[in-house]
Amino acid sequence: MNTNNMTAALKNLGCKVNEYETKAMEKRLSEAGFTIVPFSDKADVYVINTCTVTAVADQKSRQMLRRAKRENPDAVIVCAGCFAETFLAENDEEKLKEETGADLIILNDEKGKIDEKVISFLESRKQISNTDEAVQDSKDLNEGEAAFDGKNADNISSVENNEMDIRHRDTAATFEELGFSEPSDRTRSFLKIQDGCDHFCSYCLIPFARGKSRSRSMEASVKEAEHLAEEGFSEIVITGVDVAAYGRDSDQDNQEKIRINYFSEKKKISKTDQQLLSTGSTLTEDKQDNTNYYLLLLVLRISLIQGIRRIRFGSLDPDLITEDFVKELSEIPKICPHFHLSLQSGSDAVLKRMNRHYTKEDYRKAVELLRKYFDDPAITTDIISGFQGETDSEFEETCDFVKKINFYEVHNFPYSIRKGTRAESLPGRVKNVIKDNRVNKLIDISKKQAVEYRRRHIGKEVSVLFESDFHRIADADKEDFIDATGFYVTGLSEEYIRCAVKVKNEEEADALKHTIREGRIIGFLTDEIMEIV
């Protein structure tokens, strides 16, 4: 089918994994001949990569699908991802289409075939349209009487079945290769290395939507990182549903080989082979060591790629943070000192009800290890407020723990009941107004901690990767920001501090885009942006 005159628009909802997959689907459609247009434009095909992490995410997914249908009723509306997975667990595809206006459903392990499925759907619809036209012509010739035989009727039925090529699954056996993603700029890129989850936290549907944990092959992961370096990316953000589980699905014999390979390859960047052998000998003798050498080896190999200057992690679980892991990680020079370590609650009783497999003391020790081996790293986290049965005192425990840890940023969400999870049946539902008050209190604490973290970096030298922003900072504290020359280019430091440098004109700004520059932080421009010189 000729798609050269057809347009496609994609919308991502949800996490960084979804964002990576949306870019990969966009590239596949582009290579299939579709012209990619902004989601706000009228398109022939709309792909919405949905999210189901909260009830609000479900609602947004429905709304975005309906919006696309209203924008162009004749377009093909594709519902992809987690919302489709969980909805189909209890409903059929007809109900999903009826509620959202979707024409085609793509499950999580089918995204790599989106070009094939969309084209197949278009061809099927065209075939039905042609058949309908032929039927209408026959009716006109025979004064309204149907004049097509059973063969044509069977053909229509067959095409309709092809339209409904929807397969629900409980788990996926292997990591689905989507090919290389196609990020929208040349600053930083996500690299998906893992999918699925085996934790089954009591509040979460993601293990059902994504299936069991499975790792991408190291060869494919490194190959994509090499491709990204060739395309001009300086920073890689390693992401997955459960990055800490990378390689855990490998057999024990292979894991032992990985451990040995790690220390062998580490020689390539060590200062002295003797120093390395001394370290490696001690660690490899400990057969009970729980350190994730799979992940370490992958990071090490990516760090050796010419052109990659930074490696950053997405969300991590505290159980990944052993002393050996953090020590080894700190010796890889390109690792950014920024770690998003999932918490969810600062109360042990709530953590237990959530089926999180650590205590707040375990979490505190993990943060201490990161701060022991990295110089004032940025520690960010997620917290759910108003979980089933959360009392005032349990919430205050969380507030006290947040203050004690002194995070850089806290992403706080009100608990949302997810049908089908164990938490749905737990007693003690918290009123929405109480959830909102708790969220707002934690936001206030987090804002103060973020400002304090940035303040600690005044006078420090930082490395900033500049983006494509070229703008005024309207609410800045300095008067010269309203001058004609008050334009700035912004970017992120290794610690994920947004920094800005003043430029005279657009040419000067263009020279900075997608480059890394060293600078000294001299103060605040806004509460969230620091100025460097």
Side-chain angles (χ1 to χ4, degrees):
M1 181 175 186
N2 186 0
T3 60
N4 290 333
N5 295 322
M6 302 191 74
T7 56
L10 295 90
K11 181 70 174 180
N12 176 63
L13 301 174
C15 64
K16 293 177 181 178
V17 173
N18 256 21
E19 185 173 343
Y20 172 93
E21 292 170 350
T22 300
K23 291 299 181 182
M25 289 191 289
E26 180 179 298
K27 185 176 182 183
R28 283 189 174 270
L29 289 173
S30 177
E31 290 175 345
F34 291 90
T35 299
I36 306 300
V37 299
F39 194 79
S40 56
D41 288 4
K42 191 172 184 178
D44 298 305
V45 177
Y46 293 94
V47 179
I48 294 87
N49 198 11
T50 62
C51 177
T52 193
V53 69
T54 65
V56 173
D58 280 356
Q59 183 181 4
K60 287 183 178 179
S61 296
R62 287 187 176 93
Q63 290 173 343
M64 200 59 64
L65 288 159
R66 293 170 186 151
R67 172 184 163 186
K69 177 61 77 174
R70 288 195 303 269
E71 184 68 25
N72 183 4
D74 296 325
V76 176
I77 311 300
V78 181
C79 176
C82 293
F83 169 68
E85 293 273 6
T86 56
F87 189 94
L88 292 177
E90 297 189 55
N91 305 280
D92 60 27
E93 59 272 5
E94 286 299 329
K95 186 172 182 179
L96 176 57
K97 293 171 71 174
E98 179 184 344
E99 288 195 10
T100 64
D103 299 298
L104 181 65
I105 290 87
I106 303 289
L107 300 181
N108 279 321
D109 60 345
E110 299 173 326
K111 291 175 180 177
K113 299 177 181 178
I114 188 167
D115 50 340
E116 300 172 17
K117 289 184 172 291
V118 168
I119 290 172
S120 176
F121 181 89
L122 287 167
E123 289 174 341
S124 298
R125 191 165 71 171
K126 183 177 180 180
Q127 185 177 356
I128 291 174
S129 177
N130 290 340
T131 303
D132 288 344
E133 289 177 7
V135 169
Q136 185 61 49
D137 289 343
S138 297
K139 286 182 178 180
D140 293 341
L141 290 171
N142 293 278
E143 299 178 343
E145 293 183 4
F148 63 99
D149 59 22
K151 181 179 180 181
N152 287 330
D154 289 341
N155 186 48
I156 293 174
S157 176
S158 175
V159 172
E160 288 175 343
N161 287 336
N162 286 338
E163 282 187 55
M164 303 302 296
D165 185 19
I166 301 164
R167 179 180 59 83
H168 181 68
R169 52 98 177 138
D170 295 321
T171 60
T174 59
F175 184 94
E176 183 203 18
E177 277 295 338
L178 293 175
F180 298 149
S181 64
E182 192 65 33
S184 56
D185 59 34
R186 289 293 179 268
T187 306
R188 64 181 52 81
S189 177
F190 295 119
L191 176 64
K192 180 184 171 186
I193 65 167
Q194 182 274 344
D195 203 348
C197 182
D198 296 333
H199 289 301
F200 290 95
C201 298
S202 64
Y203 54 80
C204 187
L205 282 173
I206 297 304
F208 304 99
R210 288 276 177 178
K212 66 180 181 180
S213 179
R214 53 208 184 275
S215 305
R216 189 180 192 181
S217 75
M218 196 167 299
E219 292 71 20
S221 300
V222 172
K223 186 176 181 181
E224 180 168 3
E226 291 171 342
H227 169 76
L228 292 168
E230 291 169 358
E231 291 294 313
F233 291 94
S234 300
E235 181 177 311
I236 297 292
V237 182
I238 295 176
T239 190
V241 175
D242 182 12
V243 170
Y246 180 72
R248 301 292 195 195
D249 46 339
S250 174
D251 62 79
Q252 290 298 318
D253 289 341
N254 195 31
Q255 289 186 22
E256 184 61 24
K257 292 177 183 176
I258 289 291
R259 184 202 306 259
I260 295 169
N261 287 345
Y262 169 74
F263 288 108
S264 175
E265 295 203 20
K266 188 183 172 187
K267 294 179 182 179
K268 299 176 183 178
I269 61 170
S270 65
K271 294 181 179 179
T272 66
D273 287 351
Q274 186 60 42
Q275 180 184 9
L276 171 68
L277 292 173
S278 174
T279 303
S281 171
T282 301
L283 293 179
T284 53
E285 286 177 0
D286 181 6
K287 301 302 182 183
Q288 303 302 315
D289 181 21
N290 193 39
T291 296
N292 190 333
Y293 288 100
Y294 246 100
L295 187 55
L296 282 172
L297 181 57
L298 174 63
V299 171
L300 183 67
R301 288 180 175 175
I302 292 173
S303 76
L304 296 175
I305 298 172
Q306 187 173 4
I308 300 300
R309 297 181 61 183
R310 290 180 174 183
I311 302 172
R312 194 183 301 276
F313 285 102
S315 182
L316 299 174
D317 273 350
D319 60 2
L320 174 71
I321 309 301
T322 66
E323 179 148 16
D324 290 340
F325 181 85
V326 179
K327 179 180 183 300
E328 293 299 318
L329 201 65
S330 69
E331 294 177 6
I332 299 175
K334 295 179 181 180
I335 295 296
C336 291
H338 167 221
F339 303 96
H340 188 85
L341 205 61
S342 301
L343 175 59
Q344 308 307 352
S345 176
S347 163
D348 283 341
V350 175
L351 288 173
K352 187 174 182 179
R353 293 199 298 274
M354 289 179 167
N355 198 36
R356 303 288 289 181
H357 301 289
Y358 54 84
T359 65
K360 63 183 183 182
E361 178 62 15
D362 296 331
Y363 190 97
R364 184 191 64 78
K365 289 179 179 178
V367 172
E368 281 188 354
L369 285 172
L370 290 169
R371 287 174 173 162
K372 175 180 177 181
Y373 288 99
F374 290 89
D375 181 19
D376 199 10
I379 308 294
T380 60
T381 198
D382 298 313
I383 290 178
I384 298 172
S385 291
F387 184 69
Q388 303 285 67
E390 184 184 62
T391 63
D392 289 341
S393 62
E394 288 170 342
F395 172 70
E396 289 303 322
E397 277 188 73
T398 295
C399 292
D400 292 342
F401 191 69
V402 167
K403 293 174 184 176
K404 183 176 182 179
I405 294 296
N406 198 13
F407 291 98
Y408 172 34
E409 288 181 344
V410 175
H411 303 286
N412 189 215
F413 309 94
Y415 169 66
S416 174
I417 295 176
R418 311 303 290 124
K419 188 175 182 181
T421 61
R422 281 181 285 174
E424 181 188 11
S425 60
L426 290 177
R429 185 171 300 186
V430 179
K431 293 181 179 179
N432 288 338
V433 64
I434 296 176
K435 292 180 190 177
D436 292 341
N437 289 338
R438 290 176 181 177
V439 167
N440 290 334
K441 182 172 181 177
L442 276 174
I443 287 174
D444 289 340
I445 295 172
S446 176
K447 284 182 177 179
K448 293 175 183 177
Q449 291 185 340
V451 170
E452 177 56 33
Y453 181 80
R454 296 183 187 110
R455 181 177 288 113
R456 291 203 303 269
H457 285 74
I458 294 176
K460 290 187 178 182
E461 295 290 327
V462 292
S463 172
V464 179
L465 175 55
F466 287 98
E467 300 166 344
S468 56
D469 297 342
F470 175 64
H471 55 77
R472 292 176 185 269
I473 301 179
D475 57 344
D477 298 329
K478 295 186 179 181
E479 291 183 0
D480 65 351
F481 274 63
I482 63 173
D483 294 342
T485 59
F487 290 97
Y488 292 79
V489 179
T490 66
L492 291 169
S493 74
E494 292 179 327
E495 299 82 3
Y496 218 68
I497 298 172
R498 183 159 294 280
C499 299
V501 63
K502 195 170 184 177
V503 294
K504 296 178 181 177
N505 49 49
E506 193 167 352
E507 290 74 23
E508 204 173 293
D510 286 339
L512 279 174
K513 290 176 185 177
H514 314 310
T515 64
I516 293 178
R517 170 176 163 177
E518 307 294 324
R520 181 171 54 86
I521 296 179
I522 61 172
F524 287 90
L525 296 177
T526 72
D527 282 347
E528 297 179 352
I529 304 176
M530 311 295 287
E531 184 175 13
I532 68 167
V533 294

